[in-house]
Amino acid sequence: MALLEVHGLSKSFGGVTAIADLDFGVPEGQVYSVIGPNGAGKTTLFNMLCGIYSPDEGSIRFLDREIIGRLPHQVAELGVSRTFQNLQMFFNMSVLDNVKVGCHLRTRGRIWSNALRLPGTRREEKQAERWAREAILFCGLDDYLESHADALPYGVLKRLEIARALAASPRLLLMDEPAAGLNDTETKQMRSLIRQISGTGITVLLVEHNMGLVMDVSDRILVIDYGSRLAEGPPEAIQNDPRVIEAYLGGEIEYAV
Amino acid sequence: MSHLRGFYLLVAAALLLPLIFPDNYYVTVVGVTAALHAILAVSLNLLMGYAGQISLGHAGFFGIGAYASAILTTRYGWNPWPAMLFGLVLTGVVAFTLGRPILRLKGHYLAMATLGLGIIINILLVQTGSLTGGPDGLGGIPTLSLFGWAVDSDLRWYTVIVSVLLAVVWLVLNIINSRSGRALRALHGSEVAAEMMGINTTTTKTGVFVLAALIASLAGSLFAHQQAFVSPDSFSFFFSIELVTMVVLGGMASTYGAIMGAIILTFLPELLVVFEDFEVLIFGAILMSMMIFLPQGLFVGMQKLWRRVATEESRRGAA
Amino acid sequence: MFDQILQFILTGITVGATYALVALGFAIIYNASDVVNFSQGEFVMLGAMSTIALSAGNGLPLWLAAACSVAMVICVGLMLQRFAIAPARGASVVTTIIITIGASIFLRGLALLLWGKDIFGMPHFSGEVPLRIGEATLLPQNLWVMGGASVLVLGVHYFFNHTTHGKAILACSCNRTAAHLVGINVGMMMLIAYGLSALLGSLAGILVAPITFTSYDAGVMLGLKGFSAAILGGMGNPMGAVAGGLLLGLIESLAAGLISSGYKDAIGFVILLLVLFFRPSGLFGKASAERV
Ligand SMILES: Nc1ncnc2c1ncn2[C@@H]1O[C@H](COP(=O)(O)OP(=O)(O)OP(=O)(O)O)[C@@H](O)[C@H]1O
Ligand SMILES: [Mg+2]
């Protein structure tokens, strides 16, 4: 039984078919990658997996519960967290506060208890601060702890999004192009970060255009084109699949990082 | 606690002012109005500055509170305290039922809808004359009394309203620096990301709208008892705009900024009276130029400037 | 009953035509610069007040006074753009709202200083002998308002769809940087947009002043109505704003006649709220989905 099971998933926008009759399953504890050319429907797939878009057809089961029909915050409650292709940072907050928002679901304090600073709130605040610091440290952001998010460089923000998602302590982490726009050093850091995340037992669903990174960290890879499945399997199989080589990159794949 | 450092300064200032200037018109009369405005600005800032939801109709909730107290105490002989409570309940119900559909709107549409709501409330106050006294207003509102201590002098009103202000500021600061406050700010930062972190954005928006409305309603009740008279003019569209201006002038998403904006906008007309016919003109010019030259607001702008100076200093010190 | 309703409709169209012009001004500035110009109503007031001052006070013929005052109001619009909006580029939506509110207070203060608090009337353009349509009556001035508004709306429509300058302004509204890169003088286009809005506002004021009278604070309510109308139609769509204006005028006139004149503004706003609850981007606006 896979952690995430997708069956017959379809979604179109007006005349554009973004996802067409897609099936796949993500086994628990693995790094599972989804690749495909620009506009193949990867982000659309993510948006459906976390309740932002509702699919036209199909089913998405996570931990054997149906995702479709739930709002994003309800999906998050089930243990799904994500990062975004276009940064969705809380630019009006500090790094620490950004990550503390990630702890939202692990704390319970209600507004009146917060307003009066009841002992429960004080305790929770300390706990949230500990969790947030852990996640920040894990992502190597300790230098930026007190910085304001709007003052940080792009590469740091990419990791900050991951720290925020990790602070929620998810079962499944969706990462949409975490290495896009990073330089070589940062990409290497990102690669080891993904490995470390997977090492803690979190299942990772990864969308990424950097083939070197994908081949390196993935346990399995799903290739989609025009929203439908082209191939699926372990990295070696995908690398040598003639359909993938031809359809995806026009016969030319660069595997170096 | 660190997030309350500024608050202690505020408490000290509030205590010292009437001691240094007893019976001063600008402290116990204009000061009380400024404090009342500050309560309203702080509550609006919670909604606008922190949660990022603009409202051009805040005066409407101020009006509901004021008129609930005024009508129930004068026409039905209620004790002021249950009347105040009734006002709060009524405001809560109105804000809750209308908050949900209104807060689905964004940007200018949200601005228009809240503006419309404020105007509708104001028109109701004017038109239901048999209850509200219509455009002429309603007078003879009794003053408050707490366990036999009647609030019957300027200094006592100062004590009451400034205490309420301080309490509101304390609560708001606590909220901002906690789980629920971070949820509000996250909403402003990115709604999708907030949802993905497990924040129910719909209920959070409605919640902060109701909370801000409740604080405004409380301020309204106090206002009614303090003035002993209410008329629809005090709750017009213009006053809503003035409240927004206070928040923006001080600097959005800063509680102290909102207080500062309220103080400036309350005292400015007092000071501009000397210009007589030029008053309105100068007021408009000041408002425009402050926003052009300090678009982030006075308090936030000054804070940034101060931080820059401080880092320069430390850099020079280190060299 | 039927004649009465016809009367309300005729009045509604006249009022609606004025709203439509103000709303069109709102929409033009909004499309060009993303600013909701809360001083739009003051253009209307200044147009009417200065025409009256020039014709009654200084003895100019009405048409000349009107022409001079339109020119003056256009200058005010240009100055607003140049000295208040342009320096604050990049400021948040709320900040620009406060700036235009400051401008509106400033202009009102100026009018108060120049002309005091009195209410002024203007002579009708072509007499006050009412025309009869069945049992309903129509003043020649109503025809002036409807006709003038139609000409202006058609002109604006032509300007945006068939002239390079008009298209350039639309390009700025889509993407300022791209517009600049293809060689459009963005600053100039902004000035044209504000000038055009001022022109529409002042003409609306002059056309309607003989019917409604005017005073230094007459712009406030008109500005609000114009904003409501623009939102009702859908902010991004100038012709939607015109439709919104007419609709709002009709609703108010019917509400005043059939229900109660005291509640007519409230009814207008209630309907506006209901529309927004069901169509969050106005009647003719496109729903914009945020992409992540
Ligand atoms: N909200 C939307 N409205 C309309 N069309 C959309 C929307 N979101 C995505 N699309 C369309 O769906 C298709 C798939 O887009 P998607 O963003 O999922 O691609 P992607 O695989 O993530 O591409 P990239 O690698 O460039 O990020 C595209 O044709 C896109 O234009
Ligand atoms: Mg994508």
Side-chain angles (χ1 to χ4, degrees):
Chain A
M1 179 80 242
L3 181 72
L4 180 74
E5 295 260 21
V6 173
H7 283 298
L9 197 66
S10 300
K11 173 82 183 172
S12 52
F13 299 100
V16 182
T17 306
I19 291 289
D21 197 21
L22 195 65
D23 293 280
F24 67 97
V26 180
E28 172 124 45
Q30 294 203 344
V31 176
Y32 192 96
S33 292
V34 180
I35 62 173
N38 292 110
K42 305 177 295 291
T43 302
T44 306
L45 173 65
F46 268 26
N47 285 342
M48 287 190 283
L49 294 182
C50 57
I52 294 175
Y53 291 162
S54 55
D56 300 336
E57 264 172 74
S59 85
I60 303 170
R61 299 188 77 79
F62 175 71
L63 287 169
D64 223 17
R65 272 170 292 192
E66 184 58 55
I67 294 278
I68 297 169
R70 290 181 205 249
L71 293 168
H73 71 267
Q74 294 165 326
V75 177
E77 272 172 47
L78 297 178
V80 178
S81 201
R82 77 173 277 186
T83 67
F84 297 85
Q85 181 175 359
N86 304 315
L87 286 176
Q88 293 289 332
M89 221 57 257
F90 305 131
F91 283 111
N92 53 339
M93 297 162 86
S94 71
V95 166
L96 187 60
D97 279 349
N98 261 281
V99 182
K100 274 188 188 169
V101 175
C103 306
H104 191 83
L105 285 173
R106 298 165 82 184
T107 46
R108 290 270 147 256
R110 296 270 147 200
I111 189 160
W112 50 85
S113 149
N114 288 168
L116 296 169
R117 283 257 141 186
L118 297 182
T121 292
R122 287 166 200 256
R123 221 175 311 123
E124 257 185 17
E125 276 301 299
K126 290 211 183 90
Q127 181 65 65
E129 171 119 12
R130 249 197 316 277
W131 281 326
R133 279 174 189 271
E134 263 170 35
I136 287 171
L137 200 66
F138 190 88
C139 297
L141 294 168
D142 12 340
D143 288 348
Y144 304 99
L145 199 67
E146 297 290 335
S147 311
H148 219 80
D150 60 4
L152 297 179
Y154 187 76
V156 176
L157 290 171
K158 279 280 189 190
R159 273 184 287 152
L160 180 53
E161 266 204 334
I162 297 174
R164 183 179 67 189
L166 287 177
S169 172
R171 287 283 290 266
L172 174 68
L173 176 63
L174 314 183
M175 296 170 117
D176 199 349
E177 306 204 7
L182 299 189
N183 63 31
D184 284 357
T185 335
E186 289 170 329
T187 307
K188 283 197 181 108
Q189 286 174 341
M190 188 56 74
R191 183 166 56 184
S192 60
L193 184 57
I194 295 172
R195 282 226 193 81
Q196 272 175 287
I197 293 170
S198 175
T200 63
I202 295 173
T203 309
V204 175
L205 186 57
L206 176 71
V207 162
E208 183 48 64
H209 280 299
N210 184 323
M211 283 308 124
L213 177 74
V214 170
M215 295 303 162
D216 196 41
V217 300
S218 311
D219 294 300
R220 289 187 81 79
I221 296 174
L222 167 71
V223 190
I224 59 173
D225 194 11
Y226 295 108
S228 17
R229 166 175 169 154
L230 204 64
E232 207 256 11
E236 312 77 56
I238 296 296
Q239 261 174 39
N240 301 320
D241 191 318
R243 280 172 308 173
V244 178
I245 297 175
E246 194 211 343
Y248 179 19
L249 287 174
E252 217 180 301
I253 304 187
E254 174 103 55
Y255 285 118
V257 174
Chain B
M1 239 164 293
S2 66
H3 74 270
L4 292 177
R5 223 178 296 148
F7 177 69
Y8 298 132
L9 271 176
L10 196 68
V11 174
L15 279 176
L16 284 178
L17 270 176
L19 290 178
I20 304 175
F21 307 103
D23 281 330
N24 182 312
Y25 169 75
Y26 289 103
V27 174
T28 54
V29 178
V30 190
V32 170
T33 307
L36 203 76
H37 288 170
I39 298 175
L40 291 164
V42 165
S43 69
L44 181 60
N45 184 41
L46 200 58
L47 179 67
M48 243 178 70
Y50 287 109
Q53 311 296 312
I54 190 174
S55 168
L56 300 182
H58 208 50
F61 298 116
F62 180 52
I64 295 182
Y67 268 92
S69 283
I71 292 170
L72 290 175
T73 53
T74 58
R75 293 200 193 272
Y76 298 95
W78 283 37
N79 177 291
W81 299 107
M84 195 180 283
L85 190 66
F86 184 89
L88 287 169
V89 172
L90 183 64
T91 306
V93 170
V94 173
F96 183 77
T97 28
L98 293 175
R100 253 182 113 88
I102 284 184
L103 291 161
R104 277 176 47 215
L105 305 169
K106 292 192 193 324
H108 303 305
Y109 295 94
L110 178 61
M112 181 72 241
T114 49
L115 190 142
L117 176 62
I119 294 181
I120 292 169
I121 294 176
N122 193 257
I123 292 175
L124 287 177
L125 294 181
V126 175
Q127 294 298 326
T128 50
S130 56
L131 209 57
T132 61
D136 298 334
L138 197 57
I141 305 164
T143 194
L144 283 176
S145 78
L146 249 182
F147 307 114
W149 184 73
V151 190
D152 53 8
S153 69
D154 289 345
L155 191 63
R156 286 184 176 191
W157 270 114
Y158 179 93
T159 317
V160 169
I161 290 186
V162 170
S163 310
V164 172
L165 169 65
L166 291 174
V168 166
V169 170
W170 182 73
L171 294 172
V172 165
L173 287 173
N174 281 341
I175 290 175
I176 289 312
N177 294 286
S178 69
R179 179 178 185 262
S180 8
R182 283 191 296 271
L184 292 184
R185 288 183 286 157
L187 200 65
H188 193 181
S190 158
E191 272 187 44
V192 252
E195 274 278 335
M196 246 5 268
M197 294 305 121
I199 295 162
N200 184 341
T201 50
T202 316
T203 51
T204 309
K205 279 186 196 174
T206 319
V208 66
F209 189 68
V210 172
L211 180 63
L214 288 179
I215 299 176
S217 169
L218 176 70
S221 294
L222 292 174
F223 174 77
H225 289 294
Q226 187 235 356
Q227 297 284 314
F229 169 80
V230 287
S231 81
D233 282 349
S234 315
F235 314 102
S236 66
F237 149 75
F238 292 104
F239 189 57
S240 289
I241 296 288
E242 210 175 316
L243 292 175
V244 173
T245 310
M246 289 173 192
V247 172
V248 181
L249 194 66
M252 298 253 278
S254 159
T255 301
Y256 303 115
I259 297 174
M260 187 168 158
I263 292 174
I264 293 177
L265 235 56
T266 313
F267 277 86
L268 201 57
E270 294 280 331
L271 304 179
L272 292 181
V273 176
V274 295
F275 294 105
E276 293 176 354
D277 292 347
F278 286 85
E279 185 191 330
V280 183
L281 186 92
I282 295 178
F283 182 78
I286 292 180
L287 195 59
M288 257 196 299
S289 34
M290 284 209 258
M291 290 330 296
I292 293 170
F293 296 115
L294 276 173
Q296 294 173 310
L298 281 172
F299 189 80
V300 176
M302 274 168 22
Q303 243 181 349
K304 290 228 158 117
L305 201 71
W306 168 248
R307 233 178 271 151
R308 203 179 316 148
V309 173
T311 40
E312 289 277 309
E313 285 288 313
S314 64
R315 205 171 293 156
R316 212 171 301 144
Chain C
M1 187 65 195
F2 172 76
D3 292 316
Q4 229 181 344
I5 290 182
L6 181 66
Q7 182 71 62
F8 299 146
I9 289 177
L10 290 175
T11 316
I13 292 177
T14 311
V15 179
T18 327
Y19 292 171
L21 289 181
V22 186
L24 191 55
F26 262 107
I28 290 172
I29 288 188
Y30 175 75
N31 278 309
S33 61
D34 264 345
V35 169
V36 172
N37 175 24
F38 271 90
S39 50
Q40 190 70 28
E42 309 314 323
F43 294 157
V44 183
M45 176 274 291
L46 284 178
M49 291 290 272
S50 56
T51 305
I52 292 169
L54 288 174
S55 65
N58 299 17
L60 293 185
L62 194 59
W63 64 269
L64 186 59
C68 292
S69 90
V70 170
M72 267 168 13
V73 177
I74 290 179
C75 288
V76 171
L78 298 183
M79 289 199 299
L80 176 74
Q81 204 286 326
R82 189 70 196 70
F83 298 116
I85 305 294
R89 257 202 61 206
S92 71
V93 176
V94 204
T95 304
T96 53
I97 286 185
I98 305 287
I99 291 176
T100 59
I101 286 175
S104 129
I105 296 176
F106 178 85
L107 293 174
R108 219 179 306 145
L110 191 69
L112 184 63
L113 200 64
L114 290 173
W115 303 305
K117 291 192 174 176
D118 296 338
I119 294 174
F120 295 88
M122 194 194 278
H124 289 235
F125 294 0
S126 36
E128 295 179 45
V129 186
L131 309 159
R132 306 199 73 85
I133 303 174
E135 288 297 305
T137 58
L138 196 63
L139 290 171
Q141 193 65 34
N142 291 45
L143 290 179
W144 272 101
V145 175
M146 295 177 201
S150 313
V151 170
L152 288 170
V153 167
L154 289 177
V156 168
H157 187 75
Y158 181 84
F159 176 72
F160 278 116
N161 288 291
H162 300 283
T163 67
T164 20
H165 277 96
K167 288 181 185 168
I169 292 178
L170 291 182
C172 295
S173 76
C174 285
N175 187 332
R176 214 184 163 97
T177 321
H180 180 71
L181 287 177
V182 296
I184 294 174
N185 182 345
V186 176
M188 190 59 176
M189 294 307 131
M190 294 298 132
L191 283 175
I192 294 180
Y194 279 75
L196 187 58
S197 284
L199 172 100
L200 291 172
S202 56
L203 281 174
I206 295 167
L207 286 169
V208 83
I211 304 177
T212 59
F213 302 100
T214 187
S215 63
Y216 83 102
D217 59 356
V220 181
M221 218 39 189
L222 270 172
L224 282 183
K225 293 298 167 59
F227 182 34
S228 313
I231 288 278
L232 188 62
M235 210 49 179
N237 180 344
M239 292 306 131
V242 172
L246 285 174
L247 202 59
L248 193 65
L250 278 174
I251 291 170
E252 281 187 8
S253 168
L254 288 171
L258 302 176
I259 304 171
S260 127
S261 62
Y263 281 109
K264 79 172 169 40
D265 292 335
I267 291 167
F269 283 115
V270 167
I271 289 181
L272 178 67
L273 280 182
L274 288 178
V275 167
L276 288 182
F277 290 170
F278 294 104
R279 288 194 60 100
S281 342
L283 288 174
F284 309 103
K286 278 191 239 50
S288 63
E290 197 185 346
R291 283 217 204 165
V292 288

